[in-house]
Amino acid sequence: MNQMVKVSRGIVVGIGKVKIPKSRELNHEIQLLSFLSIQESETSYISTCIHLHIDGYGNTIEEAESDMVENIYYFLCQNFQKLQPEAAWENLLDLFTADEWSNELWNAYHKVQIILSMQGKTTDNIAELMERLNQLAERVKEFEQKVKNTVCEKEHTVLTGDIIEFAKDLLIVERTQVNYKVA
């Protein structure tokens, strides 16, 4: 069973999980979110968060994942800032509820898990995951302290952007790429 996993948008080239940490702008616990990395063409990639139906685009897998993380963070902040708490949580529940599109993505995710298992690759590295989550939490605390010490709104906005840029590398807490054997 060495078949490529395809979805309507291309070939699945990786799966992963992303953690959006609690921060001043998003003071809510959001569970790990699963995503697929999809190769749309030779130089075009999409990373799509299955839970939230949010995409990121790029010329590389890393660019697509980074764009997806930014879009997830922006969406979550807006969701909780613009809606009353109960409505914001209901909105997330609606997005987490399976539909035709997410079923296609979940089926692909699970197929890739089986292929990775056959290749002897694990996606269940709990110790590494916990270490990265702890690093992320520490970085957020450091930047929030810097934000508290800022004097003006302009400086605060720059630091908030720095938090996202600095934490991006830590936000993808699990990523595994698929190596398809070409016949």
Side-chain angles (χ1 to χ4, degrees), residues 68-119:
M68 176 192 65
V69 169
E70 283 183 43
N71 294 338
I72 291 170
Y73 185 78
Y74 177 78
F75 165 77
L76 290 170
C77 287
Q78 293 298 303
N79 185 60
F80 286 102
Q81 289 171 6
K82 298 202 181 232
L83 299 175
Q84 294 297 319
E86 188 173 328
W89 288 113
E90 284 291 326
N91 191 33
L92 289 184
L93 183 58
D94 286 345
L95 289 169
F96 272 56
T97 302
D99 60 12
E100 191 175 321
W101 171 239
S102 62
N103 284 338
E104 177 188 11
L105 299 178
W106 279 120
N107 288 340
Y109 190 94
H110 297 306
K111 284 180 185 177
V112 169
Q113 284 181 312
I114 296 298
I115 290 170
L116 291 170
S117 292
M118 291 171 61
Q119 294 174 356

Side-chain angles (χ1 to χ4, degrees), residues 40 44 46-47 51 61 65 70 72 82-84 92 102 115 124 126 167 169 175 178 180:
E40 192 176 39
S44 178
I46 304 166
S47 285
H51 295 95
I61 294 171
E65 289 174 356
E70 283 183 43
I72 291 170
K82 298 202 181 232
L83 299 175
Q84 294 297 319
L92 289 184
S102 62
I115 290 170
D124 300 325
I126 301 302
D169 185 46
R175 172 196 306 126
V178 184
Y180 296 113

Side-chain angles (χ1 to χ4, degrees), residues 2 7 16 21-23 25 30 32 38 48 53 70 72 77 90 104 107 110 141 146 154 162 179:
N2 190 24
V7 293
K22 286 174 75 170
S23 64
E25 287 78 22
I30 305 298
L32 284 172
I38 301 165
T48 187
H53 304 236
E70 283 183 43
I72 291 170
C77 287
E90 284 291 326
E104 177 188 11
N107 288 340
H110 297 306
K141 285 179 189 173
K146 286 182 182 178
K154 181 180 179 184
D162 287 347
N179 297 323

